[in-house]
Amino acid sequence: MPGALTRGVLFVHSSPRALLPHVEWAASGVLGVSATLDWIEQPVAPGAYRTELSWQAEQGTGARLASALRGWAHLRYEVTEEPSQGVDGGRWSHTPELGIFHAVTDVHGNVLVPENRVRAALEASVDSAADVRAELELALGTAWDDELEPFRYAGDGAPVRWLHRVG
């Protein structure tokens, strides 16, 4: 029996032209359908391109998309997967400088920091409140959000392609 369906979005915030077909091939391979994406220039990074792809597929597809794109050093992207029956949502963010970050998300897209991660931050930060803050910012992915935010706003009004795979 196939897994439950969920939805998500692949945001490629910036990619060099040479990687565009590779991103499409990777997304097609994970989604099992042809993904010909509508690329537009990324004004924040001259010479780079951006796209968005909304998808509907089995639970875990977000992780598979993020893994398929991981390792391409010049790629900035985010993958989101909505929570679905019995499974929390997720967000994967990647930047060339920071690598990949994963967080569990709630139905509103908020990052959820597990209790044990908070306890570890408190235990590792015995010297100052600044240490606690730094550990919690790491748990929230603040550095990834800070780096990706200009690229997110540059995408306002960009075309979105919907792909659905059932079964």
Side-chain angles (χ1 to χ4, degrees), residues 124-141:
S125 307
V126 294
D127 293 337
S128 71
D131 291 342
V132 173
R133 181 183 183 96
E135 288 293 323
L136 292 176
E137 285 183 348
L138 179 61
L140 291 169

Side-chain angles (χ1 to χ4, degrees), residues 32-141:
V33 295
S34 179
T36 303
L37 305 175
D38 295 324
W39 296 95
I40 61 171
E41 291 184 6
Q42 172 54 274
V44 175
Y49 295 84
R50 68 165 327 281
T51 193
E52 295 178 15
L53 172 67
S54 295
W55 53 267
Q56 180 178 336
E58 291 182 6
Q59 294 170 335
T61 298
R64 288 190 293 279
L65 279 169
S67 294
L69 298 175
R70 187 174 183 205
W72 292 337
H74 300 289
L75 196 62
R76 285 180 183 84
Y77 67 89
E78 290 181 280
V79 178
T80 63
E81 180 171 313
E82 293 182 4
S84 53
Q85 184 177 352
V87 178
D88 292 323
R91 184 177 80 199
W92 296 261
S93 304
H94 179 271
T95 74
E97 293 78 18
L98 299 171
I100 197 161
F101 170 79
H102 171 257
V104 174
T105 58
D106 67 11
V107 297
H108 304 291
N110 296 305
V111 170
L112 302 178
V113 179
E115 175 183 346
N116 288 337
R117 185 81 188 254
V118 173
R119 288 184 192 282
L122 292 171
E123 290 173 11
S125 307
V126 294
D127 293 337
S128 71
D131 291 342
V132 173
R133 181 183 183 96
E135 288 293 323
L136 292 176
E137 285 183 348
L138 179 61
L140 291 169

Side-chain angles (χ1 to χ4, degrees), residues 8-31:
V9 181
L10 166 62
F11 301 95
V12 178
H13 294 298
S14 73
S15 174
R17 180 181 290 280
L19 285 182
L20 303 185
H22 299 283
V23 171
E24 291 181 2
W25 295 329
S28 295
V30 170
L31 296 170

